[in-house]
Amino acid sequence: MALNIKSNNGLRGLRDGEFIVDCEKARSLFEAVCGERSEESAAELVGISRSVLRRILGRGGQADWAIVNTPNARAFAERCGAGIEAIQWATDQTGSRGAQESSAGTYLRLWRDIQGLRLGPMVPLSMMHHQDAINAESILDLLTGEQTILVYGSSGCGKSHLLNHLAWMASARRCVPVIARAAEFAGDLAALLNNAVTTIAFLDFEALVIACKREAWTPVVIIDAINECPSGLRLQLVAAIQKLRTRFDFPIVLSDQTKLALPPTLQGPVIAVSPPNAHEKAALVGAYVSGPLPDNAEFSLSIISSAQDAVVWAEVFSHLGFGGSRYALYDAYVNRRLANTLHRAMARQALASLAHDMRRNFVFAVPLSALRRAIESVIGKSADIDEIEAVIQRSDLLITGQGHSAFKHELLQDFFASDEILRITARPEELGQLLTKPLYAGLAEFVIGALSTSVALAACLSPLHSPSLLAACLRGRCGSVAFHYVKGESAQALERLRSRYCAMVFDAEDREPIQLLVDDHRAQPFQPSDKPYLAVAMMVFPDGHLIEDVLRVVRQIDLHIEDERTRLRAKYPGRKIAWRALMFSGLYSSPTFNGPDDLRIAIQDSRFGGLWHDESETYAKVAALLSGYANLTPGQLYFLIQGFHSSYRRDAEVPPFLFDLAKRAWDFRIYHLQLATSHMLTLHCGSLPEAERQRFIALVESWLDNDNPFVNSFVIDVLKVLGALDDAFTATDAQAEIDEILELPESPEANEAAFSVYCRQFDHPYDGAYVEAFNELSAAKKEALFARAVETTETCSMFYSFLLTEVARSPTSQTVAALQRVASVPMRDTSSTQESVSTFVMAIVALAELGVPLLPADHENDPLMQSWHSMGRILFALHTPGTTPAEYEVAAHGDWSWLEHEELIDCPMRILRDRWRDNDQTSERFLEWSKERLLRMSRANLKNKPTPRSWFRFPEGAKLAYEHEKFSLGILGQHGNRSDLPIIAAFVDNTALGTFALQAAQAIEKR
C-alpha cells in the first residue's frame, strides 16, 4: 500500500516530521520480536531512547495512539522487521473521530491524554512572589481575567516542569491550556498557537477560543522559554503577545531565564523560581525514575544542579558510576540518545560544532540548514549526511519547528559547546585561559568535569578564580578528581592562613587613642592564589567538607589572640585596654590596624558571595553547630552567627538555645560580635511567646550603656523588634515637639531643629511615633515645617533627599531659595555620591513643577561644573509640566550637543546610576526621551576611549574609565541594535568588562 506519512497537511495537522503511532499495533510487533526483554534492553536493541519506546508502546497499554517524530517511528518499525506503515494510526480511525470532536471539552480530553503520558509527579519548587514564598496552587489562583504571569529562573531550575504541571492543574479548574515553545516562533503567533492546538484536535486556536467561550471554559495560553525564541524575532514575539492580550481577556503565562522587561499591557505577577535544593533534586529524580532510587543515590545526586540535570540523571542513572560529574552525566545521556550506531561519533561532533557556533553568535535557535552545514563541516560532502541527520533527529536532542532547530534544553547546548572546545583546545593551560573569557565562562563546570587527572585540572584551574566554580567542584558537580583537588587546595590555604596569623606579634603605640601595631615578619607571605580557596572553603562549609578545618583554624587564631592578650596585659599592667576586642576586630571584621586582611575578606566573601545553594539546609547546619555555643570561641561564634544571619528564612523556628547563645556572645564585649548578635536577634525575636519575649527584653535592656551610644543604637533596634518601646513615647509627644519647633522664631537653629525632627521618622528609637505624628500633621503645618527644614546645612544627609522628594510633590514659594541653591550643582565633597545626585535631581524636579527658573550658571570656564549646569537644564526641560518629547529635544539640544562634544558621559551615567530611585519618573523618561543621545555618547565612549573626567573626586583614572565603559555597554544592551555588535564584540574577551559585553550582545539578540 502507498505510505501516507501525516504532516501539517494531514487531518490531525501534525507538525513537520511527526507521525501518529497505533500503539496496539506497535505492541504486537514489539512482543513478536523482543519477547520478554526489558524496556531498557529493548531500547538498546531497537536503537531509540527508552522514553520514546515507552511512548510508542502506549505507556504500558494506557494509550491507544502516540505522536513521535517520523525517524523514531521508522527506526522502531524497521528494527522490528516491518515497514513504518505497519504501526501507522489508520486514516479512517482519525477521520471518524474527527467528525465528532470539535468542542473545547474534547480538545481538553485529548490534551490530557497526551499530557498525561509525559507528565511525571509534581515536585514542589522554591518560588517567590513579592518576596514571599508561593506554591503552585497559589499561582493558579492568580490565573484570572486579563492576567499575564511571568515565571523566571536560571537555566534548568524547573520552569518547564512547573508550567506543565500548572497547565495540568488548571485543566481541572475548567481551564483549557495551550502550550507553545517560543523556540518554534517564526514570526507568526497565530501559526504557533494553531500548531499547538491542531496537533491535539480538529480545530485551530481561534476556533478553540470560540468553543471555550460558548462552553464557559477559560483558555490559558502558556509560552515557554522566551529566551529560546530566535534572536531576531523576540521583540516581534512580545509585540504579538501584546496584541493577543488586547484582543482576548484570558490569562497568559510566559517564562524566561531573566526577569523579562514587558510592556505595561503585559505586566502582572512575577514568579521567581530558585534552583532545586537537595530535597527537590531527589524528588525531581524520583518523579522521572520508574522505580526506587538506587543505593548511594544521595552521593550521586550531588552532581545535579538543575531540574534538567534531574531529568537526565533519571534516564541514565543505572549506566553512570557514582563518581561521575555533570559532564559524565550528559555524556552518558547523549550517547544513549544517539544510540550505538555507526554514525554516532560524527553526529555528536556535528552537534558540538553547531552548539559552539550558536554560542559565539549568541543564539538559541538556527535555521534548519545550519544543522546540515554543521554536519558538512565534520564530514564534508558525503552520502552519509542524510543518515547522520536522521540519527540526530531520532535522538530527540533537538526540537524542530517552523523552519528552525534548537537544542531541547539550553544545558544540552552548553554541553555540546563544551565538547567542541575540549576537542579544539589541545592543552589544559590553553583551556583555562579560554574559560577566563566571559563567552566561555558558563561552560567551566562541564569542561572541568571532563578532565581526568589532577595535573590537567591544576593547569586548567590556575587562571580561574571564580568562587562559584570552585564551589561547584566541592559540591561534586565536576567529578571526584576536581572535588579532591579543590578540597585539598582549600585545606592547604586554611593551614597557611592559620600559620600566618598565629605567627603575628602585637604591640601598642604609646599614645592615645590606642593604636595596635602588628609584627608579621615571621609569618609566611600571603599567596594571592589562596584567596578564592579561602572564600570557597567558608562559603560551602554547610556541605560538611571543610567545616572542621575552618572551625579548627578559627579556634587556633583565637587561642593565639588570648596568648597575646595575656602577654600584653603583663607588659602594660597599668593600661586598661581591651586587648582582645582590638585584636579581634582588626583580624575578623574591620581594618583597625595595619595588619593582614586575609581572614576578614574571606569571612566577608562567605557572607556576601551568594553561594548559599540551599538556605534551609545551611540554616539547619549552622543551628546544629551553634547549639554547642558553650564551647565555642569568639571567632567561631562570630563566623557561625554571620552564617546564621545570612541563611535565615522567615519560616525558621526560633532555636531553644537562642537566649543563652546571645548572652554568651554578648559577654565577650567585642563590638562586632555584639553587632552580629543584635542582627541575629532582630531576625528571630519578632514573634516570641509572651513569657519568652519578657525574658529577652530584660536581657537586652541590660545591654544598654550610657557610655556607648554606638552599641545603644543597635540594642534599641532589638528592643523595637521585641515591642519594648511601644508605650514609652507616643505620637502625641512627637506632635508636641513639632509644635514647639514651629513656634520658634526664624533662625538657623530653628531650621536645624525642623530638619532634625523630620529625620527622626527614619533614625530614632521611637521612629514609629514620629511617622504617625507626621501623617497626622495638617497641610499648613507640614508646609511650614518643610520650609524651615530645607534650609538646613545638612544637605549631604540621606534624609535631605527624602525631604526634597516630599517637597517636590507639593513645592511652595517658601522652598524656592533653598531648592535653587541645591539645584545649581551636586555637592562635590560628599561621602555619598548617591545623596548628592539625588538631592540635585529632586531640587530640579521641584523647581520645574513650580515653574521657577534655575539660578544663572557661573564658572562656565570650568567644563566639569558647566557639564552639571547643562545637565540641570536638560533635567529642567525634562520635568517642565506639559513638555512633549519633541519640545524636550529642542530645549535640550544645545546642552546635549555640548556634553557630546566634550565626551562627558559621566553626567548622564550619574543621573541613571548613582541616584536613589525616587518616584519622579526621571530614570524612565530620561532614558526613553534621551536614548539617541545616550547611544551616540556610549558608542563614542567605547570607540574613542576618551580620558575619563568627572565632577566627583572618586573614582578616577582606570577605575572611572571602567565605570564609563560598563555604563556604555549597558546603554547599548538596552537600546542598541545589531549594528552595535562589532563595538560590543571588542570587549567580549575583556576580563573586567567581558561579562557586561556578553549581556549587552545577548540583550540585542533577544530583541
Side-chain angles (χ1 to χ4, degrees), residues 527-603:
Q527 298 182 21
S529 59
D530 279 349
K531 182 179 177 181
Y533 288 96
L534 286 174
V536 80
M538 297 182 182
M539 275 192 261
V540 298
F541 73 81
D543 283 352
H545 301 308
L546 290 164
I547 181 60
E548 296 301 329
D549 290 336
V550 172
L551 293 179
R552 175 182 54 80
V553 166
V554 171
R555 173 177 286 277
Q556 290 179 352
I557 291 172
D558 284 352
L559 292 175
H560 180 65
I561 289 175
E562 288 301 307
D563 290 342
E564 285 295 282
R565 176 192 183 208
T566 302
R567 184 181 64 78
L568 289 168
R569 291 176 72 177
K571 183 176 180 179
Y572 301 103
R575 302 183 72 178
K576 293 186 177 181
I577 298 172
W579 297 108
R580 176 170 59 193
L582 284 172
M583 288 185 283
F584 181 98
S585 296
L587 294 180
Y588 282 98
S589 50
S590 63
T592 54
F593 53 81
N594 187 25
D597 59 5
D598 327 341
L599 177 60
R600 175 172 56 83
I601 290 175
I603 291 175

Side-chain angles (χ1 to χ4, degrees), residues 377-419:
S377 72
V378 173
I379 67 171
K381 298 287 185 180
S382 169
D384 292 333
I385 289 179
D386 289 339
E387 284 296 322
I388 294 173
E389 186 173 14
V391 169
I392 291 172
Q393 295 294 349
R394 285 198 300 270
S395 71
D396 208 24
L397 296 171
L398 296 179
I399 55 174
T400 301
Q402 294 192 306
H404 283 79
S405 284
F407 282 90
K408 193 171 184 180
H409 197 280
E410 188 187 344
L411 286 173
L412 285 169
Q413 183 175 330
D414 288 350
F415 169 77
F416 280 112
S418 303
D419 235 15

